[in-house]
């Protein structure tokens, strides 16, 4: 490694990703269906037989993007969730799940990705490190998600940059042109063969934080339920570095077509199909109920 590479803000992230504990020994059942498969997955990563989920945590990261969504959207949603007034707040309570909501400088929105990179390398690496704080409460299952206006735009741009195709493969409606423009701008400014460069160019702080949380969970062998398109895009960045980085992650649910296509590319079959584009943990907590049922399968 050259001195300049060693000095890169991403150097610590790359070292962490390269020094992983052995994956859990996951033996899919010959029969028993999806519930038995979930049970085996939990046993593989937690080491508990029979498996159990005692300290699930929903970690939501709030971010804002210049020119995207209503002004103050992330602040309003963050306050509503913190006050217990959102669906995810009530659902997490009914499932006995902890709920953490993190403010990622939402009063200082990241730039419009069509015009400028979302973050510097230093900011992206620091935000990934901040995302790892979700593990401080020692959950035995993590559900990371985002609080952001139109989070599907960043997710679609990341998917396009990583996997190619057309913008219309990953986005719909007015977002298609915006996604295409953002990726075209990023290709002219950075090396998009580097997944971390894709993340810093096109992902908001919330996506970077989720990527950090998923990576930290992998290091600690904590199973993860991926919630929504944005969390799946964060997982796709890690998968592009090394597929083993998301071996501990299962897709909670599938929303729109772009989300479903990305899950398929990652080899992840969602536990439930809710046909919603909610990015605030609702899909993950819904799947948590199924995971808990699977703990009773013998």
């Amino acid at each position: 490694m050259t001195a300049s590479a060693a000095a890169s803000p991403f150097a610590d992230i790359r070292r962490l990703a390269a020094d992983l504990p052995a994956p859990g020994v996951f033996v899919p059942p010959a029969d028993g269906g999806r519930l038995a498969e979930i049970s085996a997955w939990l046993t593989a990563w937690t080491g508990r037989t029979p498996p159990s989920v005692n300290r699930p945590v929903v970690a939501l990261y709030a971010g804002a993007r210049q020119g995207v969504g209503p002004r103050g959207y992330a602040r309003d949603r963050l306050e509503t969730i913190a006050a217990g007034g959102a669906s995810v707040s009530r659902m997490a309570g009914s499932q006995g799940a902890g709920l953490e909501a993190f403010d990622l400088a939402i009063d200082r929105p990241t730039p419009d990705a069509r015009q400028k990179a979302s973050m510097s390398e230093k900011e992206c690496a620091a935000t990934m490190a901040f995302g790892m704080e979700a593990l401080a409460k020692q959950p035995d299952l993590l559900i990371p998600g985002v609080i952001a206006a139109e989070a599907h735009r960043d997710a679609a741009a990341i998917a396009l940059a990583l996997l190619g195709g057309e913008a219309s493969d990953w986005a719909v409606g007015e977002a298609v042109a915006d996604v295409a423009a953002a990726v075209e701008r990023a290709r002219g400014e950075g090396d998009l063969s580097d997944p971390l460069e894709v993340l810093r160019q096109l992902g908001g702080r919330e996506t970077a934080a989720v990527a950090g949380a998923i990576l930290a969970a992998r290091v600690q062998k904590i199973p993860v339920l991926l919630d929504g398109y944005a969390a799946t895009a964060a997982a796709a960045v890690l998968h592009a570095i090394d597929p083993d980085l998301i071996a501990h992650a299962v897709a909670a649910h599938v929303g729109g077509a772009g989300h479903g296509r990305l899950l398929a590319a990652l080899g992840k079959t969602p536990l439930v199909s809710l046909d919603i584009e909610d990015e605030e943990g609702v899909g993950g907590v819904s799947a948590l109920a199924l995971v808990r049922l699977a703990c009773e399968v013998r």
Side-chain angles (χ1 to χ4, degrees):
M1 180 180 293
T2 65
S4 59
S8 165
F10 286 141
D12 287 341
I13 300 296
R14 297 188 201 282
R15 279 193 291 270
L16 189 62
D19 187 23
L20 298 174
V25 179
F26 175 41
V27 182
D31 52 30
R34 196 70 196 274
L35 288 176
E37 182 181 325
I38 297 167
S39 178
W41 164 69
L42 282 173
T43 293
W45 288 98
T46 65
R48 294 196 292 264
T49 305
S52 61
V53 177
N54 303 312
R55 299 184 308 280
V57 168
V58 182
L60 301 178
Y61 299 94
R65 171 83 76 187
Q66 291 177 4
V68 176
R71 184 176 177 84
Y73 173 88
R75 173 64 64 195
D76 290 344
R77 292 304 301 158
L78 184 66
E79 292 176 355
T80 298
I81 290 169
S87 295
V88 69
S89 309
R90 296 185 291 272
M91 292 173 69
S94 72
Q95 288 296 314
L99 177 59
E100 297 283 325
F102 300 93
D103 179 348
L104 300 177
I106 53 179
D107 296 322
R108 184 169 56 85
T110 54
D112 184 333
R114 295 171 298 179
Q115 301 172 4
K116 185 179 178 181
S118 298
M119 297 168 280
S120 66
E121 282 193 25
K122 182 178 180 180
E123 182 179 12
C124 186
T127 305
M128 291 182 73
F130 180 82
M132 297 176 185
E133 292 298 315
L135 283 299
K137 291 199 172 182
Q138 299 182 313
D140 58 5
L141 185 143
L142 181 69
I143 304 172
V146 308
I147 303 167
E150 300 184 41
H152 61 280
R153 291 177 182 256
D154 287 356
I158 289 171
L160 177 59
L162 290 175
L163 297 168
E166 303 294 330
S168 57
D169 294 333
W170 307 105
V172 296
E174 295 179 358
V176 172
D178 292 340
V179 166
V183 174
E184 184 63 26
R185 191 271 315 151
R187 282 177 177 150
E189 295 182 13
D191 176 11
L192 298 193
S193 66
D194 179 353
L196 291 176
E197 179 69 6
V198 170
L199 180 62
R200 87 157 189 98
Q201 287 279 351
L202 299 167
R205 294 188 192 104
E206 65 284 354
T207 312
V210 169
I214 295 171
L215 177 57
R218 175 63 182 84
V219 171
Q220 297 183 35
K221 300 182 71 171
I222 295 170
V224 166
L225 284 177
L226 298 174
D227 178 80
Y229 199 1
T232 304
V237 170
L238 299 175
H239 183 272
I241 297 170
D242 180 351
D244 188 43
L245 291 177
I246 62 167
H248 62 312
V250 164
H253 78 109
V254 62
H259 183 200
R261 187 172 287 110
L262 183 55
L263 287 173
L266 299 179
K268 301 293 184 183
T269 302
L271 298 184
V272 296
S273 179
L274 300 177
D275 198 27
I276 61 171
E277 295 187 359
D278 189 292
E279 296 280 350
E280 296 177 353
V282 169
V285 178
S286 298
L288 173 60
L290 184 62
V291 170
R292 281 210 153 115
L293 285 174
C295 291
E296 303 305 320
V297 173
R298 300 289 186 269

